[in-house]
Amino acid sequence: MLDKILILDFGSQVTQLIARRIRELNVYCEIHPYDLSDKLIKKFSPKGIILSGGPNSAYEENTYLAPEIIFSLNIPILGICYGMQTMALQLGGKVEGSGKREFGYAEIYDCKSTLLEGLRDGNQHDQDFMQVWMSHGDKVSQLPQGFEVIASTPSCPIAAMADVKRNFYGTQFHPEVTHTPQGLEIFRRFVISVCKCQQTWTMPNYATDAINAIKEQVKNDKVILALSGGVDSSVAATLIDKAIGKNLICIFVDNGLLRHNEAAQVMQTYQEHMGLNIIKIDAQDKFYQELHGITDPEQKRKIIGRLFIEIFEQESKKIPDAKWLAQGTIYPDVIESAGSGTKKAHNIKSHHNVGGLPASLKLKLLEPLRELFKDEVRKLGINLGLPESMIYRHPFPGPGLGVRILGEVTPKFVTLLQKADDIFIQELHLSGYYAKVSQAFVVFLPIKSVGVMGDGRTYDYVVSLRAVETTDFMTASVANLPFELITKVANRIINEVPGINRVVYDISGKPPATIEWE
């Protein structure tokens, strides 16, 4: 039986990182809302529970509380930030507003217990310390009975606490973020040493289990899959193909919002080289017509998503015995669309492949990657034999260039963006920087600026280059591309793409910006 960790989410913006760290340890975990029912907690049967951070104060009236049942299940618990505070309060301790808030870098001292003992990042004033990342305005001021202090800072005497007898732990800092260098080791100690989880969550094991599960679930039914050419749908298609073979019918929609020459490349790669059963639908005119005059990004996403569903509904009627619609939905899609049920999650943007299907679509939903993060999908793809050039391709949004063109989407704007983006990607490959950045693309801006070409005045459009480095796509920093590379790309775009006379480079990080502009 697979050992599992349950993460109860109190609304932290970095809860997803907790799950990623646990998965890195080859242990399965899931994120659920803080008020998960007692019945579902018991059904999940976790080996340990982690309480996330959150924006609330634990001492406020009507604040969020952890389910009381978790403290009587005789399993380890780790509370992080708000999770530590609500655990302390619910078990008889006290929490109060801190006279000095801590946000960002901090150093904790006197590290003890199985969780923290021996971890250090440096020495100051003849005392070892560990570097951590704090984000709190409240603090535990009195420990519950049975707890002891296992780390402190000058302004936060109870920076971490433990009831070793019951295996209850709390950290005021955030071990899940990369700014806490020893964070993964802290999770390893909690999950492996304290919770005694077996590290059996691996992609070879997952592939075997997933293929068997698909066979059992689908049986002899036909499955339609939305093939986009991206990593997620490619891996999903390969996985399902290994389970049911020709009963998988892939539908590739050319919506006119793909990258340069991508439609032809997709058909050649998947049909000729992978032997998948593919139906190609040319729907460019339909998408352009529906998007005419639409400038709001959320509305564009919803239109594109709706059209995809309508097209699959129409196509399903032409396929005898089609009973399933497969999608490459992955776990971050579910979480970011607030699909996990977490009440404090903010819906930053809609995903066209998340949120269920209309009742009129007579197909059941098959999402074999729904439990996986992007890095796990890539590992699975390599395990299934897909080429690295396909697996390590930069992410591409579901709505395609529809959300990389700010404002209205027109065929002219799409063509300009495709050409500019293709030049940028070419030069990244030639320079060796494509594999060094996590995601790179061009954004089309619907504004014109004055320029000079030859002896003439131009008044043409502007594009922005975007390249970021990230390990988890929850946070990102701008890629430090050589200035010579950026200027070469800009010169090529301006010279080779009539209609664009200015190129800028986006130097925003995430946060405060998002990686995509829309």
Side-chain angles (χ1 to χ4, degrees), residues 124-198:
Q124 187 168 305
H125 308 302
D126 297 321
Q127 191 176 9
D128 292 339
F129 70 84
M130 182 169 65
Q131 177 183 329
V132 299
W133 191 75
M134 292 278 197
S135 180
H136 69 101
D138 299 330
K139 64 181 181 182
V140 176
S141 57
Q142 181 179 316
L143 291 171
Q145 187 175 357
F147 280 79
E148 64 175 323
V149 177
I150 59 171
S152 61
T153 74
S155 61
C156 185
I158 308 176
M161 65 181 193
D163 180 337
V164 178
K165 186 176 180 180
R166 289 189 287 178
N167 281 323
F168 291 171
Y169 296 86
T171 65
Q172 187 56 70
F173 59 89
H174 289 265
E176 67 270 34
V177 300
T178 55
H179 307 302
T180 300
Q182 304 280 4
L184 184 61
E185 174 61 19
I186 293 171
F187 281 120
R188 189 196 69 77
R189 293 182 177 195
F190 177 73
V191 172
I192 309 303
S193 300
V194 177
C195 298
K196 309 295 183 186
C197 287
Q198 297 297 310

Side-chain angles (χ1 to χ4, degrees), residues 193-356:
S193 300
V194 177
C195 298
K196 309 295 183 186
C197 287
Q198 297 297 310
Q199 296 171 278
T200 55
W201 173 251
T202 64
M203 285 307 102
N205 289 344
Y206 180 84
T208 300
D209 292 343
I211 290 170
N212 290 334
I214 292 168
K215 288 179 179 178
E216 177 66 25
Q217 187 175 10
V218 173
K219 296 183 172 59
N220 293 321
D221 295 342
K222 283 188 167 56
V223 176
I224 299 174
L225 181 137
L227 187 65
S228 68
V231 175
D232 302 334
S233 67
S234 300
V235 174
T238 306
L239 189 67
I240 297 170
D241 180 65
K242 288 184 179 296
I244 63 173
K246 292 301 179 182
N247 276 345
L248 170 66
I249 300 99
C250 296
I251 297 179
F252 172 60
V253 179
D254 183 1
N255 59 7
L257 304 173
L258 304 174
R259 286 168 282 205
H260 185 64
N261 288 333
E262 187 167 22
Q265 291 170 1
V266 166
M267 291 302 294
Q268 183 178 24
T269 300
Y270 294 92
Q271 197 170 43
E272 295 179 15
H273 298 298
M274 295 175 61
L276 294 181
N277 186 10
I278 303 178
I279 298 171
K280 183 175 183 288
I281 301 172
D282 293 310
Q284 300 180 46
D285 292 342
K286 186 174 183 63
F287 277 85
Y288 288 150
Q289 181 180 353
E290 291 281 340
L291 291 168
H292 178 71
I294 304 300
T295 60
D296 178 73
E298 185 67 7
Q299 195 173 355
K300 286 192 290 184
R301 285 179 175 274
K302 289 180 178 178
I303 288 172
I304 293 167
R306 174 177 56 79
L307 285 177
F308 268 111
I309 294 297
E310 288 178 0
I311 288 169
F312 281 112
E313 186 173 17
Q314 293 168 7
E315 205 61 34
S316 68
K317 297 176 182 178
K318 304 175 185 177
I319 302 174
D321 304 321
K323 294 183 179 179
W324 297 86
L325 173 62
Q327 296 183 145
T329 308
I330 63 175
Y331 203 30
D333 296 337
V334 176
I335 298 170
E336 193 164 288
S337 295
S340 67
T342 301
K343 295 182 178 180
K344 289 299 293 180
H346 293 280
N347 191 355
I348 307 300
K349 57 188 178 182
S350 296
H351 291 269
H352 72 270
N353 58 342
V354 177

